[in-house]
Amino acid sequence: MVIYIAFANDEINFLEELVKEEQAIRNEFVELEREGRVKLKVSKKVRVDDFFEVFRSYQKEIRIFHFGGHADQNKLYFDNESANGEGIARRIYLLENLKLVFLNGCSTKGHVVRLLELGVKVVIATSAAIEDGTAYSFAKNFYSCIASNLTIEESFEAAVSHLEINEKVAPNKIRIHSISSRDVVPLGSEEPNPWGLFFMEENRSTLKWRIAPKIKRYENGRNSYNALRNFINQKIENQLLESYSDLEKIDLHLTNIISTNDKKR
């Protein structure tokens, strides 16, 4: 399982918190990487070519794609270049097992319907400009929950709650939206808070996706170990019984020889 995190900063409009966001996400997945359950692929200064190369290399493995950096309704701004949203969306949807696209940049709502209609299951996007520190905090708390085996929906709600507690957003204003038409739920004017979790109704079940629980992995491993141990023990027992039977036959044969010799004497 691969989680691909791509960052693109700008030397002129430099985002200080973007560096912290990268390190915070890395820290959340250290243990899972050590266990071999997750591979975190990070592009610090992503360019269009890097983006396509990673997608080609991990076509079947990528489950989450996260972009952090400058963006608008129609473009993502990579390192010294911009990428048209339509072209990016058409490449993203080809990822066979992708569960989530998280666009942590300003005003990325315009990408939502495009991604969902192409087949991307769940998208987190923003409707307005977002303060750098708030974007960092939201991403950090979201991935902390994902790494702790919460679902996408639970992780989103927890990250939102953290912002509400710290009064970064107004309570009960960030919504989870099922999109059933070309019109995205209007977050910008009616809901002043930036983030939304979007999905097509037929993909609602993906909101429950999570990294496989460690205890389940352990139980499966333990059951496999017990089954193997029982198989080996049975094999050893059968071999011992066969050996014992052979020894009995040898003992009987020797007894007969000794008895015959005694009679001859």
Side-chain angles (χ1 to χ4, degrees), residues 73-89:
Q73 297 281 357
N74 298 304
K75 292 182 179 181
L76 300 181
Y77 293 93
F78 292 173
D79 191 29
N80 297 321
E81 58 186 349
S82 63
N84 179 272
E86 183 71 29
I88 292 294

mmCIF file of all heavy atoms in Angstrom, residues 73-89:
data_model
loop_
_atom_site.group_PDB
_atom_site.id
_atom_site.type_symbol
_atom_site.label_atom_id
_atom_site.label_comp_id
_atom_site.label_asym_id
_atom_site.label_seq_id
_atom_site.Cartn_x
_atom_site.Cartn_y
_atom_site.Cartn_z
ATOM 1 N N GLN A 73 -8.928 26.984 -8.753
ATOM 2 C CA GLN A 73 -10.066 26.164 -9.182
ATOM 3 C C GLN A 73 -9.734 25.240 -10.349
ATOM 4 O O GLN A 73 -10.386 24.205 -10.528
ATOM 5 C CB GLN A 73 -11.234 27.078 -9.599
ATOM 6 C CG GLN A 73 -11.781 27.937 -8.478
ATOM 7 C CD GLN A 73 -12.718 27.161 -7.554
ATOM 8 O OE1 GLN A 73 -12.996 25.999 -7.775
ATOM 9 N NE2 GLN A 73 -13.190 27.816 -6.520
ATOM 10 N N ASN A 74 -8.746 25.587 -11.147
ATOM 11 C CA ASN A 74 -8.485 24.826 -12.366
ATOM 12 C C ASN A 74 -7.070 24.279 -12.500
ATOM 13 O O ASN A 74 -6.793 23.472 -13.390
ATOM 14 C CB ASN A 74 -8.771 25.711 -13.597
ATOM 15 C CG ASN A 74 -10.224 26.143 -13.655
ATOM 16 O OD1 ASN A 74 -11.123 25.325 -13.655
ATOM 17 N ND2 ASN A 74 -10.441 27.456 -13.675
ATOM 18 N N LYS A 75 -6.173 24.700 -11.618
ATOM 19 C CA LYS A 75 -4.779 24.285 -11.764
ATOM 20 C C LYS A 75 -4.162 23.912 -10.421
ATOM 21 O O LYS A 75 -4.581 24.385 -9.368
ATOM 22 C CB LYS A 75 -3.949 25.402 -12.403
ATOM 23 C CG LYS A 75 -4.296 25.696 -13.856
ATOM 24 C CD LYS A 75 -3.388 26.789 -14.418
ATOM 25 C CE LYS A 75 -3.721 27.080 -15.880
ATOM 26 N NZ LYS A 75 -2.821 28.134 -16.427
ATOM 27 N N LEU A 76 -3.135 23.060 -10.502
ATOM 28 C CA LEU A 76 -2.232 22.825 -9.390
ATOM 29 C C LEU A 76 -0.897 23.411 -9.807
ATOM 30 O O LEU A 76 -0.446 23.218 -10.947
ATOM 31 C CB LEU A 76 -2.076 21.325 -9.112
ATOM 32 C CG LEU A 76 -3.339 20.546 -8.754
ATOM 33 C CD1 LEU A 76 -2.995 19.083 -8.481
ATOM 34 C CD2 LEU A 76 -4.059 21.146 -7.555
ATOM 35 N N TYR A 77 -0.251 24.131 -8.893
ATOM 36 C CA TYR A 77 1.002 24.792 -9.226
ATOM 37 C C TYR A 77 2.168 23.980 -8.664
ATOM 38 O O TYR A 77 2.368 23.906 -7.456
ATOM 39 C CB TYR A 77 1.000 26.223 -8.697
ATOM 40 C CG TYR A 77 -0.015 27.085 -9.423
ATOM 41 C CD1 TYR A 77 -1.312 27.236 -8.931
ATOM 42 C CD2 TYR A 77 0.307 27.689 -10.631
ATOM 43 C CE1 TYR A 77 -2.250 27.996 -9.615
ATOM 44 C CE2 TYR A 77 -0.627 28.452 -11.329
ATOM 45 C CZ TYR A 77 -1.905 28.595 -10.814
ATOM 46 O OH TYR A 77 -2.836 29.334 -11.498
ATOM 47 N N PHE A 78 2.905 23.346 -9.568
ATOM 48 C CA PHE A 78 4.054 22.545 -9.194
ATOM 49 C C PHE A 78 5.296 23.429 -9.150
ATOM 50 O O PHE A 78 5.207 24.648 -9.274
ATOM 51 C CB PHE A 78 4.243 21.388 -10.182
ATOM 52 C CG PHE A 78 3.143 20.344 -10.101
ATOM 53 C CD1 PHE A 78 3.086 19.318 -11.026
ATOM 54 C CD2 PHE A 78 2.171 20.404 -9.112
ATOM 55 C CE1 PHE A 78 2.084 18.353 -10.956
ATOM 56 C CE2 PHE A 78 1.164 19.451 -9.030
ATOM 57 C CZ PHE A 78 1.123 18.421 -9.960
ATOM 58 N N ASP A 79 6.451 22.809 -8.994
ATOM 59 C CA ASP A 79 7.693 23.555 -8.860
ATOM 60 C C ASP A 79 8.021 24.284 -10.167
ATOM 61 O O ASP A 79 8.436 23.683 -11.155
ATOM 62 C CB ASP A 79 8.826 22.586 -8.496
ATOM 63 C CG ASP A 79 10.085 23.316 -8.069
ATOM 64 O OD1 ASP A 79 9.965 24.436 -7.537
ATOM 65 O OD2 ASP A 79 11.176 22.772 -8.299
ATOM 66 N N ASN A 80 7.803 25.594 -10.177
ATOM 67 C CA ASN A 80 8.083 26.455 -11.327
ATOM 68 C C ASN A 80 7.245 26.138 -12.565
ATOM 69 O O ASN A 80 7.629 26.461 -13.691
ATOM 70 C CB ASN A 80 9.574 26.386 -11.699
ATOM 71 C CG ASN A 80 10.458 26.904 -10.582
ATOM 72 O OD1 ASN A 80 10.121 27.883 -9.922
ATOM 73 N ND2 ASN A 80 11.567 26.223 -10.359
ATOM 74 N N GLU A 81 6.120 25.481 -12.391
ATOM 75 C CA GLU A 81 5.228 25.205 -13.515
ATOM 76 C C GLU A 81 3.829 24.920 -12.987
ATOM 77 O O GLU A 81 3.643 24.597 -11.824
ATOM 78 C CB GLU A 81 5.734 24.015 -14.350
ATOM 79 C CG GLU A 81 5.888 22.731 -13.551
ATOM 80 C CD GLU A 81 6.530 21.609 -14.349
ATOM 81 O OE1 GLU A 81 6.666 21.744 -15.580
ATOM 82 O OE2 GLU A 81 6.906 20.603 -13.734
ATOM 83 N N SER A 82 2.852 25.048 -13.854
ATOM 84 C CA SER A 82 1.477 24.763 -13.458
ATOM 85 C C SER A 82 0.960 23.557 -14.225
ATOM 86 O O SER A 82 1.453 23.228 -15.307
ATOM 87 C CB SER A 82 0.580 25.977 -13.720
ATOM 88 O OG SER A 82 0.541 26.271 -15.110
ATOM 89 N N ALA A 83 -0.039 22.905 -13.667
ATOM 90 C CA ALA A 83 -0.610 21.713 -14.296
ATOM 91 C C ALA A 83 -2.112 21.902 -14.427
ATOM 92 O O ALA A 83 -2.805 22.210 -13.450
ATOM 93 C CB ALA A 83 -0.304 20.475 -13.462
ATOM 94 N N ASN A 84 -2.622 21.710 -15.635
ATOM 95 C CA ASN A 84 -4.048 21.837 -15.893
ATOM 96 C C ASN A 84 -4.823 20.756 -15.155
ATOM 97 O O ASN A 84 -4.479 19.577 -15.199
ATOM 98 C CB ASN A 84 -4.302 21.743 -17.395
ATOM 99 C CG ASN A 84 -5.772 21.847 -17.732
ATOM 100 O OD1 ASN A 84 -6.484 20.865 -17.752
ATOM 101 N ND2 ASN A 84 -6.218 23.075 -17.989
ATOM 102 N N GLY A 85 -5.887 21.150 -14.484
ATOM 103 C CA GLY A 85 -6.655 20.222 -13.668
ATOM 104 C C GLY A 85 -7.265 19.073 -14.445
ATOM 105 O O GLY A 85 -7.352 17.949 -13.956
ATOM 106 N N GLU A 86 -7.690 19.329 -15.668
ATOM 107 C CA GLU A 86 -8.314 18.290 -16.488
ATOM 108 C C GLU A 86 -7.320 17.167 -16.787
ATOM 109 O O GLU A 86 -7.640 15.981 -16.646
ATOM 110 C CB GLU A 86 -8.821 18.889 -17.801
ATOM 111 C CG GLU A 86 -9.565 17.907 -18.700
ATOM 112 C CD GLU A 86 -10.924 17.516 -18.147
ATOM 113 O OE1 GLU A 86 -11.537 18.334 -17.434
ATOM 114 O OE2 GLU A 86 -11.358 16.382 -18.425
ATOM 115 N N GLY A 87 -6.108 17.538 -17.193
ATOM 116 C CA GLY A 87 -5.089 16.533 -17.489
ATOM 117 C C GLY A 87 -4.670 15.756 -16.254
ATOM 118 O O GLY A 87 -4.494 14.536 -16.294
ATOM 119 N N ILE A 88 -4.520 16.465 -15.127
ATOM 120 C CA ILE A 88 -4.155 15.813 -13.876
ATOM 121 C C ILE A 88 -5.234 14.816 -13.464
ATOM 122 O O ILE A 88 -4.952 13.686 -13.069
ATOM 123 C CB ILE A 88 -3.957 16.863 -12.762
ATOM 124 C CG1 ILE A 88 -2.723 17.714 -13.053
ATOM 125 C CG2 ILE A 88 -3.842 16.191 -11.400
ATOM 126 C CD1 ILE A 88 -1.418 16.963 -12.989
ATOM 127 N N ALA A 89 -6.486 15.227 -13.565
ATOM 128 C CA ALA A 89 -7.603 14.364 -13.162
ATOM 129 C C ALA A 89 -7.638 13.083 -13.996
ATOM 130 O O ALA A 89 -7.880 11.992 -13.475
ATOM 131 C CB ALA A 89 -8.921 15.119 -13.293
#
